[in-house]
């Protein structure tokens, strides 16, 4: 959450990269290079992937391996010339050399043309939506994909009310809440969701440490803080709650207030969580204050809060792990398969 905004000099890169179960793959190329799609990347410009991950950790503070993987992917996919040169990759050269598990590849930098993706199909239910909220239900299972918590509270409240009213009326037995694409936002959205699902009373709650400063006082004087009355209006819920089997799906993009919600679920053993580790430490900094330095005009964000997971004795853990680890393989991504969804469906079919 704490960083300086920069205006990177970027160039068009000949391919895109993505991580699956801690291995790097080529997932997009120009049409003329499509034979390289799906190849596992071992080195770029003769520099092993592990070495590149170490070098990016010097450029930017990363809490764990997943964050280092995401940051390296970000630099590569946007063609950040300056930062990539600092780790040994020069995009000003005519060609980019990639070592794969199947041999060496040479791609031309800064070329133009049509882009093709490795993806053949998108999962019909759990495929990522461009909307903040995506829902689906039938007589057996309901699915809620919540992709952001930076959304308008009143509209979200109405959307939740409609969805939960329908699945309760239809007597749906299983609910899947998918947070794999949720980078956080307003933590009250998570509370609003949680209060519509029947669960045991929380035995442990997150704690927070708060650093006051002149910057914090100035910024808070410019914004309207939510009152206790407004909090009760949005978060308190007295209607019928969903009372069935619930699974939460998490992934590397589950970040910030989303990780806070997941820590409540995991540490209080409210529901089963499945998927992959979140990229953020369970105890983490948050609540950003944006600033601009008066002379250089450099802009950035700095955290003013430290969030402590309910099970505070586990604060040293680098990742927020799900109860059931279900990684997505590159083959699943290509064919539009979702192993987490398949796992839940298998549980239903076996009445387990």
């Amino acid at each position: 959450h704490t960083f300086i905004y920069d205006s990177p000099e970027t160039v068009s890169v000949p391919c895109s990269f993505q991580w699956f179960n801690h291995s790097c793959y080529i997932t997009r190329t120009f049409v003329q290079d499509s034979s390289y799609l799906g190849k596992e990347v071992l080195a770029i410009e003769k520099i092993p992937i592990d070495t590149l991950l170490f070098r990016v950790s010097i450029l930017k503070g990363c809490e764990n391996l997943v964050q280092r993987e995401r940051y390296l992917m970000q630099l590569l996919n946007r063609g950040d010339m300056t930062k990539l040169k600092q780790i040994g990759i020069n995009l000003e050269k005519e060609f980019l050399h990639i070592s794969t598990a199947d041999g060496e590849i040479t791609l031309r930098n800064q070329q133009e043309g049509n882009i093709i993706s490795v993806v053949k199909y998108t999962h019909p239910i759990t495929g990522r939506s461009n909307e903040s909220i995506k829902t689906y239900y039938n007589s057996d299972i309901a699915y809620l994909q919540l992709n952001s918590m930076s959304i308008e509270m009143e509209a979200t409240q109405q959307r939740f009310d409609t969805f939960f009213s329908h699945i309760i009326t239809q007597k749906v037995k299983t609910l899947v809440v998918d947070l794999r694409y949720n980078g956080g936002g307003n933590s009250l959205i998570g509370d609003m969701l949680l209060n519509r699902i029947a669960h045991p009373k929380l035995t442990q709650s997150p704690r927070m440490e708060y650093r006051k400063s002149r910057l914090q006082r100035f910024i808070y004087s410019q914004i309207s803080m939510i009152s206790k009355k407004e909090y009760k209006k949005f978060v308190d819920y007295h209607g019928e709650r969903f009372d069935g089997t619930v699974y939460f799906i998490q992934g590397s993009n589950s970040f910030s207030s989303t990780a806070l919600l997941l820590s409540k679920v995991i540490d209080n053993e409210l529901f089963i969580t499945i998927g992959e580790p979140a990229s953020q430490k369970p105890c983490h900094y948050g609540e950003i204050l944006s600033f601009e330095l008066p002379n250089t005009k450099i802009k950035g964000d700095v955290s003013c809060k430290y969030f402590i997971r309910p099970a505070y004795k586990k604060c040293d853990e680098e990742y927020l792990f799900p109860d059931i680890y279900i990684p997505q393989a590159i083959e699943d991504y290509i064919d539009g398969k979702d192993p987490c969804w398949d796992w839940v469906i298998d549980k239903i079919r076996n009445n387990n």
Side-chain angles (χ1 to χ4, degrees):
H1 287 85
T2 298
F3 55 88
I4 298 294
Y5 291 114
D6 58 4
S7 299
E9 184 180 359
T10 61
V11 295
S12 173
V13 289
C15 61
S16 296
F17 303 88
Q18 196 161 332
W19 294 89
F20 296 93
N21 201 18
H22 301 302
S23 294
C24 183
Y25 294 87
I26 297 174
T27 54
R28 297 178 74 207
T29 65
F30 289 98
V31 172
Q32 57 268 30
D33 299 321
S34 60
S35 61
Y36 303 133
L37 286 170
K39 301 292 185 183
E40 182 182 356
V41 178
L42 305 180
I44 302 175
E45 296 296 344
K46 305 295 184 182
I47 306 170
I49 288 293
D50 286 347
T51 302
L52 292 173
L53 289 171
F54 172 75
R55 291 179 181 179
V56 298
S57 69
I58 298 173
L59 286 182
K60 179 182 178 180
C62 298
E63 293 180 329
N64 51 46
L65 175 59
V66 177
Q67 282 194 9
R68 292 194 290 275
E69 291 172 347
R70 292 183 63 194
Y71 186 48
L72 176 58
M73 181 179 69
Q74 179 187 14
L75 296 181
L76 289 167
N77 290 348
R78 74 179 183 181
D80 191 323
M81 291 180 62
T82 303
K83 289 188 173 63
L84 287 174
K85 189 177 288 187
Q86 291 176 324
I87 64 173
I89 300 174
N90 186 357
L91 294 181
E92 293 176 322
K93 293 164 59 177
E94 185 176 1
F95 295 101
L96 181 68
H97 302 283
I98 301 173
S99 304
T100 75
D102 298 325
E104 299 297 316
I105 294 175
T106 300
L107 301 176
R108 184 180 296 277
N109 280 320
Q110 303 183 42
Q111 59 178 308
E112 296 181 357
N114 294 323
I115 301 292
I116 187 170
S117 169
V118 73
V119 175
K120 294 179 181 177
Y121 308 101
T122 301
H123 195 280
I125 296 172
T126 66
R128 183 173 185 173
S129 172
N130 292 325
E131 303 294 324
S132 298
I133 299 175
K134 174 183 177 181
T135 59
Y136 164 87
Y137 65 90
N138 58 31
S139 59
D140 295 319
I141 189 169
Y143 174 79
L144 171 64
Q145 185 180 107
L146 182 60
N147 292 334
S148 174
M149 293 193 186
S150 298
I151 47 182
E152 204 274 322
M153 291 188 66
E154 191 159 348
T156 304
Q157 185 182 50
Q158 293 172 359
R159 189 77 184 271
F160 282 170
D161 286 346
T162 300
F163 173 69
F164 280 99
S165 174
H166 283 163
I167 66 174
I168 291 171
T169 301
Q170 296 295 322
K171 301 187 186 305
V172 175
K173 300 297 184 183
T174 303
L175 169 65
V176 176
V177 178
D178 193 345
L179 301 175
R180 282 177 288 190
Y181 314 114
N182 197 321
N186 185 351
S187 61
L188 297 186
I189 299 293
D191 293 339
M192 193 187 299
L193 169 64
L194 208 55
N195 285 346
R196 282 161 173 75
I197 306 172
H199 58 78
K201 185 177 180 180
L202 299 184
T203 58
Q204 305 177 89
S205 296
R207 294 187 294 115
M208 179 188 70
E209 294 179 355
Y210 187 30
R211 183 181 188 276
K212 295 182 179 179
S213 66
R214 285 184 296 169
L215 177 64
Q216 173 265 324
R217 287 192 293 271
F218 170 75
I219 290 178
Y220 277 35
S221 70
Q222 307 298 308
I223 59 177
S224 57
M225 305 297 288
I226 188 168
S227 65
K228 288 184 178 180
K229 184 177 180 180
E230 289 175 308
Y231 176 88
K232 286 182 173 293
K233 171 187 172 183
F234 289 116
V235 175
D236 282 7
Y237 182 71
H238 303 289
E240 186 177 1
R241 291 172 168 82
F242 178 81
D243 190 11
T245 303
V246 181
Y247 300 102
F248 274 65
I249 310 180
Q250 64 176 73
S252 64
N253 291 317
S254 305
F255 191 73
S256 192
S257 54
T258 307
L260 190 66
L261 170 61
L262 286 166
S263 71
K264 289 182 183 178
V265 172
I266 292 170
D267 289 350
N268 286 282
E269 300 181 352
L270 301 183
F271 316 112
I272 297 295
T273 58
I274 63 176
E276 299 179 273
S279 62
Q280 191 164 20
K281 291 184 69 173
C283 298
H284 58 270
Y285 292 93
E287 188 75 13
I288 60 171
L289 304 175
S290 299
F291 64 85
E292 180 181 271
L293 299 181
N295 298 319
T296 61
K297 304 302 178 183
I298 290 175
K299 296 180 179 180
D301 291 335
V302 62
S303 294
C304 67
K305 292 181 181 178
Y306 183 69
F307 296 93
I308 302 170
R309 69 185 297 178
Y312 62 91
K313 292 183 179 179
K314 298 180 180 179
C315 243
D316 290 336
E317 291 184 356
E318 285 194 355
Y319 305 94
L320 186 63
F321 278 97
D323 298 308
I324 309 294
Y325 175 58
I326 306 176
Q328 184 184 41
I330 179 69
E331 294 80 13
D332 299 324
Y333 180 71
I334 292 171
D335 294 331
K337 296 179 179 178
D338 185 346
C340 289
W341 181 258
D342 292 344
W343 185 90
V344 173
I345 296 301
D346 183 63
K347 289 288 181 185
I348 296 173
R349 286 174 177 166
N350 289 289
N351 196 28
N352 185 356

